[in-house]
Amino acid sequence: ANGNEISAGTSINVTNVTDAITAMRAQTADGDEGPLDIQPRVLVVSEANEFAARQLLESTYLSRDASQDNLSTANPLPDLRLEIEPQLTSFTGSHTSDWYLFSGSDAGALYFVTLNGQSAPMVTSSQTDFNTLGMQTRIIFDFGFALGDHHAGVKADFTP
């Protein structure tokens, strides 16, 4: 219902990624105040789609059939960063062919947050009691995740 989900068939290809980019860029605020100008930056796929996605994003040229003679063969998708996430297939209702397109950090769909801006674990150590050899160590890392703006992500669903 948010306009951030597309049917992508059974494989990742230029047409499907183009549809996801178009869906992301066409999203408007709740009051329909015009496009939000969210730019796609990251393509997230499961390990099952890794090599198809790498070929798609890293190819210099894309092939096509002879009926499209006057079109350029340059790859239109070289600016997307690829991320592989094996756990995408572990969600209920997910499929190995599902993939996601996310915006950059300027408008995130998910945020990683830390306590007091501490972005690394705090490590403290001290000597143990006199009768015990060794040291004791304590590691504390306060972090969490927060949902961001649903406009910042597009899901491509497997459709058999």
Side-chain angles (χ1 to χ4, degrees):
N2 294 326
N4 60 348
E5 190 171 356
I6 65 166
S7 294
T10 58
S11 64
I12 188 168
N13 58 42
V14 173
T15 303
N16 294 337
V17 175
T18 301
D19 290 346
I21 290 171
T22 302
M24 179 175 279
R25 289 184 175 157
Q27 294 186 86
T28 59
D30 295 334
D32 195 26
E33 301 161 1
L36 292 172
D37 194 28
I38 298 175
Q39 298 300 316
R41 298 283 186 248
V42 183
L43 179 65
V44 181
V45 300
S46 68
E47 71 279 2
N49 276 331
E50 177 179 1
F51 295 105
R54 284 193 190 283
Q55 286 178 333
L56 182 65
L57 297 181
E58 297 174 5
S59 295
T60 305
Y61 298 98
L62 300 174
S63 62
R64 68 170 115 320
D65 60 41
S67 67
Q68 299 175 339
D69 290 337
N70 295 327
L71 297 176
S72 169
T73 58
N75 187 346
L77 307 170
D79 295 334
L80 291 177
R81 187 177 86 230
L82 178 63
E83 293 291 336
I84 313 303
E85 180 49 66
Q87 294 184 2
L88 283 182
T89 58
S90 65
F91 301 119
T92 302
S94 66
H95 190 274
T96 57
S97 294
D98 292 349
W99 49 270
Y100 295 82
L101 183 67
F102 290 104
S103 69
S105 61
D106 53 335
L110 186 67
Y111 293 105
F112 173 73
V113 294
T114 60
L115 185 62
N116 296 327
Q118 182 71 30
S119 61
M122 294 183 300
V123 180
T124 55
S125 60
S126 68
Q127 299 291 330
T128 59
D129 293 334
F130 181 75
N131 293 329
T132 306
L133 293 176
M135 294 188 69
Q136 51 190 6
T137 303
R138 178 175 52 196
I139 301 172
I140 300 172
F141 192 20
D142 294 314
F143 67 91
F145 292 92
L147 291 176
D149 189 353
H150 66 269
H151 295 101
V154 173
K155 180 183 181 190
D157 272 331
F158 166 78
T159 50

